[in-house]
Amino acid sequence: MSEISIILIEDHDLTRMGLRAALQSHSALKVIGEAANATQGLKLLETAKPDVAVVDIGLPDMDGIELTRKFRRYQAETGQSVTKILILTMDHTEDAVLAAFAAGADSYYMKETSISKLTEAIQATYGGNSWIDPSIANVVLRKMRQGIPGESQTSDKPKTVKIEALATEYEQVLETYPLTQRELEILELIVAGCSNGQIAEKLYITVGTVKTHVRNILNKLCADDRTQAAVRALRSGLVA
């Protein structure tokens, strides 16, 4: 497997040095550049074109969210769409999480999580699977739940939620097969860390039924895994 090229955009020298040393010790990862502020980081992103950029949210001249937004604009204008963005932060507030994903971040990683998990997050991000740190998973699901329309529960027809603002190929699926209320309930329990067995117990359904719902959720969101499904829902009109 080829090395994943990485740049680090982090203003704290010791933190940046520690990250570089830890990542370089992994044979599949290669740090090709560093920047101590957003201005330098943006220029480095444009010239180095790394596979993944690890971006601190609290940069001195411009925060990591604004940097991400500007770089995504640059990518759209130039057609350079290779680089993935992994936000690195201590901030797990709802506003920060949602703003980061809205700006175009691919993954959101809390600094207090182990370095071994960071390498896992980088590899997942590089592979096109968004990483959501478990500590902010509830933020994602809470916003998803807030997007559920307040329709009457007396109707015999199952309540569904249409997800918009996604790529065209996803929209076509979701227009025909919107998420049902039950699927949203199961999605919430998945992100909360429940196993299929625990979900079955909580919802008084069989494990086989849970597996069917999970498969349907992934298919409807055109997602490879459960984490990617949650991120795509977050980025949709459902949670806008």
Side-chain angles (χ1 to χ4, degrees):
M1 184 179 72
S2 60
E3 291 179 322
I4 300 173
S5 60
I6 301 164
I7 66 169
L8 302 174
I9 306 176
E10 162 67 61
D11 61 319
H12 291 96
D13 293 340
L14 290 178
T15 301
R16 192 174 65 253
M17 291 169 58
L19 286 171
R20 182 187 183 104
L23 295 176
Q24 290 284 59
S25 68
H26 196 291
S27 61
L29 308 177
K30 182 178 181 180
V31 178
I32 62 172
E34 302 174 36
N37 60 55
T39 302
Q40 295 173 356
L42 190 55
K43 291 179 180 178
L44 188 58
L45 280 169
E46 294 172 358
T47 56
K49 298 180 175 61
D51 295 318
V52 178
V54 178
V55 181
D56 182 24
I57 204 171
L59 299 169
D61 53 337
M62 179 198 315
D63 66 42
I65 293 173
E66 183 60 25
L67 182 155
T68 299
R69 185 177 294 110
K70 288 189 174 184
F71 181 59
R72 290 305 189 211
R73 188 179 304 128
Y74 165 82
Q75 287 183 304
E77 293 171 352
T78 62
Q80 195 278 91
S81 59
V82 174
T83 303
K84 308 290 186 181
I85 300 292
L86 185 151
I87 293 291
L88 185 68
T89 182
M90 293 289 289
D91 191 346
H92 54 71
T93 62
E94 181 175 295
D95 288 347
V97 173
L98 299 180
F101 283 118
D106 295 286
S107 298
Y108 200 92
Y109 190 89
M110 300 301 296
K111 284 185 176 180
E112 65 264 27
T113 312
S114 69
I115 193 67
S116 62
K117 285 293 184 182
L118 178 58
T119 60
E120 183 181 330
I122 289 172
Q123 290 174 312
T125 303
Y126 170 70
N129 298 314
S130 297
W131 172 281
I132 302 178
D133 198 286
S135 64
I136 59 98
N138 284 335
V139 173
V140 176
L141 261 295
R142 182 164 60 249
K143 290 301 293 183
M144 290 178 66
R145 299 295 290 177
Q146 289 174 0
I148 299 174
E151 297 177 8
S152 171
Q153 299 297 317
T154 59
S155 172
D156 292 333
K157 184 178 181 180
K159 183 166 69 174
T160 61
V161 178
K162 178 183 177 182
I163 297 181
E164 302 175 339
L166 290 173
T168 303
E169 60 268 29
Y170 305 150
E171 289 181 352
Q172 292 173 351
V173 176
L174 290 167
E175 284 176 1
T176 307
Y177 305 106
L179 288 178
T180 65
Q181 175 67 27
R182 176 63 86 189
E183 288 165 350
L184 284 170
E185 291 172 349
I186 289 175
L187 185 57
E188 180 174 4
L189 292 171
I190 288 171
V191 176
C194 295
S195 66
N196 286 346
Q198 290 170 321
I199 294 172
E201 183 178 349
K202 289 176 181 292
L203 299 181
Y204 303 102
I205 56 179
T206 67
V207 172
T209 299
V210 173
K211 290 180 178 179
T212 298
H213 283 306
V214 171
R215 185 168 58 250
N216 289 340
I217 291 167
L218 298 183
N219 288 339
K220 289 179 180 181
L221 295 181
C222 300
D224 295 325
D225 54 38
R226 301 179 180 197
T227 299
Q228 191 177 56
V231 171
R232 285 187 173 161
L234 174 66
R235 287 180 171 176
S236 71
L238 172 62
V239 295

